[in-house]
Amino acid sequence: MHLIAATVLTLTLVSICAANVINAPVSQAKNPIWRTGNVPRQLRPFKPNLRPLRQKSKHPILPIRKPEQAPTKRRFYERPKKPQHKFYEWPAQYLRQDNEQPVRDYRVTATARDIQLTNFYDILYHGPISIGTPEQSFNVTFNTASPRTWVPSVHSIPDYNNSKFKTYNNKTSSTYIPNGFGFEASYGEGKVAGYLSQDNINIAGLTARNQIFGEAIVESDIFEDTTNHGVLGLGLSDEEPTVFDNMVERGLLPAPVFSFYLNRLNSNDPDSVLTLGGTNPAYYVGDFTFADVTVPDSWQFKMDRIQFSNGTGIFNGWGCQAVVDSSTPLIIGPKEEVDVLNRKLGGTPLSGDETMYELDCSEVDGLPDVEFIVNGKKLSMSSKDYVVKMHVGTDSLCYSGILGSSWKQNESPVWILGMSFMRVYYTQFDKGNKRIGFAKAITFEHAILNK
Ligand SMILES: *[C@@H]1O[C@H](CO)[C@@H](O)[C@H](O)[C@H]1NC(C)=O
Ligand SMILES: *[C@@H]1O[C@H](CO)[C@@H](O)[C@H](O)[C@H]1NC(C)=O
Ligand SMILES: *[C@@H]1O[C@H](CO)[C@@H](O)[C@H](O)[C@H]1NC(C)=O
Ligand SMILES: *[C@@H]1O[C@H](CO)[C@@H](O)[C@H](O)[C@H]1NC(C)=O
């Protein structure tokens, strides 16, 4: 089952790449750097005295995900229990060590910053950050599903210490501060582990000083198909200050808000943009629909229901909790509901697979919109947005981009609204007001009209 889903998704990636791009970076990304599986056991990095995080990290950050594996990770969605142990002992000097007082009256001086993101085949968007003094540059995924930031460490397996790959070297940074604690993060498909360090992290000219982040020394192969070097965590956390929290605390941002505009591959859409400190009206039209965040440690909110634009197919089971996840490519929902939805769309499950549904390409244009009802407002996606079309040679194959996952009701089922949703809806994450806002993202047509 897993194999089929994974194969098809891999195929998706490969065929999209092959169809559209010469010199697609897929092969160069095949480098074994991310494949600890290839390293003989005796050469594998040691497992230092890692004190693992209380809870493992959150969502997968890549699409080739086995949704059936998700239940073991679902604790993320539960209301957090009081931590038994505090694995992090945030140094007292954290955020203050440089004797710099935050500017409380920051609305006067700070401005929001745009960070241009690169669209990697519609399955990942990465953007530049730098760490340390002098700056060491990385391209990272900005992940709303986890607070953890990490980059590969120069102290990791031998392959990493190779000029071809981006690694962080604490030795050459004058602002590095040892931390001494370990970290571990799981992403559906794989795992990274290493130790925590502190250094300045710079994004678009804004510096989160003395930021704690992970130096990864062990990784599984989750990044093998990407040009991505690491992850910058924008998840909600009540325990662990993120880079964003750090910037807010220092008064570097005009508001405790960040927003994403994700473009569509091979369109005339403007470049994708993450805005730190507000929203950028150049990238959306109309008003925002807001939903309050429903748990303290996840960008989770309540959807009223899901329906088709022709009036049928209403799903409101389990209260429709949903998360907006900038690191999941498609939309994932509880298996039973997704099964009903996809069958009504005329979908047939891939043989032996209850998570992916094939659609008849000749019929997808006629399919109704899928409407997510949030705070009484319709957020709709047309079949163009929710169907995944692949070209294999001269054939086209169509799949529903709404995948099922076998979460159980008592495992806090949620819908994951990933990149395909965020391409249609410009999304603001408003930490100050603990709410998420959606507005219609501009498309090329809008961009033209505004000129
Ligand atoms: C990050 O990605 C951009 C766009 O693909 C590329 O131009 C840049 O060189 C990359 N930066 C690093 C540090 O690899
Ligand atoms: C990385 O490799 C260089 C030379 O190839 C060596 O001088 C350096 O000590 C190595 N760094 C680590 C952390 O192993
Ligand atoms: C860099 O990190 C490693 C591993 O934690 C540590 O052994 C080393 O002392 C650090 N380097 C410096 C210059 O502190
Ligand atoms: C509405 O659309 C769904 C999905 O295509 C279909 O199954 C259903 O029959 C349609 N209902 C009506 C009343 O047209």
Side-chain angles (χ1 to χ4, degrees):
M1 276 199 223
H2 296 164
L3 211 81
I4 292 169
T7 307
V8 169
L9 281 168
T10 307
L11 194 64
T12 310
L13 173 64
V14 169
S15 64
I16 290 172
C17 300
N20 298 321
V21 179
I22 305 166
N23 293 332
V26 169
S27 56
Q28 98 194 24
K30 281 283 179 208
N31 193 287
I33 181 174
W34 303 114
R35 298 177 148 273
T36 50
N38 291 346
V39 180
R41 185 156 289 280
Q42 64 274 20
L43 286 183
R44 286 190 202 179
F46 71 112
K47 284 249 180 186
N49 280 327
L50 293 184
R51 279 169 261 189
L53 290 180
R54 176 174 63 84
Q55 66 180 32
K56 289 187 177 176
S57 183
K58 330 295 178 174
H59 295 297
I61 58 169
L62 277 187
I64 303 171
R65 164 185 203 194
K66 296 170 186 165
E68 281 86 348
Q69 285 187 339
T72 56
K73 312 286 189 315
R74 302 315 290 174
R75 268 168 297 139
F76 175 47
Y77 297 113
E78 291 169 13
R79 282 171 194 283
K81 298 167 191 80
K82 274 267 172 285
Q84 302 292 328
H85 310 285
K86 207 161 168 49
F87 286 105
Y88 285 114
E89 282 163 22
W90 298 103
Q93 75 273 23
Y94 180 61
L95 294 177
R96 288 290 177 276
Q97 197 185 39
D98 49 0
N99 299 320
E100 187 192 62
Q101 290 303 314
V103 187
R104 288 289 168 193
D105 191 17
Y106 50 77
R107 278 165 201 280
V108 182
T109 50
T111 51
R113 300 290 169 105
D114 283 346
I115 296 103
Q116 188 179 314
L117 306 180
T118 302
N119 180 339
F120 186 84
Y121 302 109
D122 276 351
I123 61 163
L124 188 149
Y125 295 78
H126 64 72
I129 66 166
S130 68
I131 307 182
T133 312
E135 298 184 359
Q136 304 178 33
S137 304
F138 301 90
N139 280 325
V140 294
T141 302
F142 293 86
N143 182 8
T144 60
S146 160
R148 164 66 55 226
T149 292
W150 62 265
V151 293
S153 171
V154 75
H155 293 289
S156 52
I157 57 173
D159 308 41
Y160 280 33
N161 187 16
N162 174 328
S163 60
K164 270 199 334 223
F165 301 107
K166 293 287 167 190
T167 53
Y168 170 76
N169 188 347
N170 59 5
K171 227 180 255 170
T172 61
S173 175
S174 64
T175 40
Y176 163 74
I177 301 168
N179 175 284
F181 284 82
F183 85 99
E184 194 179 279
S186 297
Y187 300 97
E189 273 299 294
K191 210 162 134 155
V192 299
Y195 47 81
L196 296 176
S197 290
Q198 262 178 281
D199 207 333
N200 296 350
I201 298 191
N202 187 291
I203 310 176
L206 301 174
T207 303
R209 301 178 86 144
N210 302 334
Q211 173 65 37
I212 295 184
F213 66 99
E215 286 190 50
I217 51 172
V218 197
E219 291 176 45
S220 55
D221 57 1
I222 50 175
F223 286 108
E224 69 179 82
D225 284 326
T226 80
T227 53
N228 182 66
H229 307 127
V231 174
L232 191 123
L234 290 170
L236 270 183
S237 170
D238 45 5
E239 298 183 356
E240 187 184 345
T242 62
V243 173
F244 172 73
D245 296 335
N246 187 330
M247 289 179 174
V248 169
E249 178 70 13
R250 288 173 189 286
L252 303 180
L253 304 175
V257 174
F258 61 87
S259 314
F260 279 93
Y261 168 74
L262 300 186
N263 71 3
R264 294 165 302 166
L265 193 71
N266 296 323
S267 71
N268 291 313
D269 289 347
D271 285 330
S272 302
V273 164
L274 163 65
T275 299
L276 289 178
T279 59
N280 187 336
Y283 295 100
Y284 61 88
V285 289
D287 294 329
F288 278 96
T289 295
F290 287 103
D292 288 337
V293 167
T294 48
V295 295
D297 67 348
S298 166
W299 289 108
Q300 183 172 324
F301 65 99
K302 185 175 172 300
M303 284 194 294
D304 302 337
R305 59 184 187 279
I306 300 173
Q307 63 191 30
F308 291 123
S309 52
N310 67 9
T312 53
I314 294 172
F315 306 95
N316 59 0
W318 305 345
C320 275
Q321 290 285 319
V323 293
V324 192
D325 181 352
S326 65
S327 65
T328 290
L330 298 172
I331 293 176
I332 304 176
K335 194 172 68 180
E336 294 77 6
E337 297 186 5
V338 167
D339 184 63
V340 174
L341 187 151
N342 281 327
R343 284 176 194 277
K344 287 195 177 184
L345 291 173
T348 31
L350 293 187
S351 62
D353 184 9
E354 295 158 307
T355 65
M356 287 195 70
Y357 292 74
E358 188 168 2
L359 300 169
D360 182 341
C361 285
S362 66
E363 286 175 8
V364 297
D365 287 345
L367 292 176
D369 295 353
V370 173
E371 299 174 338
F372 300 89
I373 312 297
V374 177
N375 210 352
K377 305 258 173 52
K378 279 180 202 167
L379 305 179
S380 56
M381 288 177 77
S382 70
S383 60
K384 216 169 63 238
D385 300 318
Y386 67 76
V387 172
V388 177
K389 205 174 230 176
M390 301 171 7
H391 304 285
V392 179
T394 55
D395 289 339
S396 286
L397 293 173
C398 290
Y399 296 93
S400 169
I402 301 174
L403 311 183
S405 183
S406 54
W407 306 321
K408 300 286 181 319
Q409 182 157 6
N410 58 8
E411 286 168 335
S412 303
V414 288
W415 285 78
I416 297 177
L417 306 181
M419 300 167 200
S420 58
F421 182 84
M422 293 174 75
R423 280 192 281 273
V424 184
Y425 287 96
Y426 184 90
T427 309
Q428 64 160 289
F429 298 81
D430 180 346
K431 187 157 184 178
N433 294 306
K434 290 272 173 6
R435 63 181 186 172
I436 306 173
F438 305 99
K440 194 85 183 146
I442 56 157
T443 60
F444 177 58
E445 290 74 23
H446 288 118
I448 290 278
L449 285 175
N450 286 342
K451 279 204 174 121

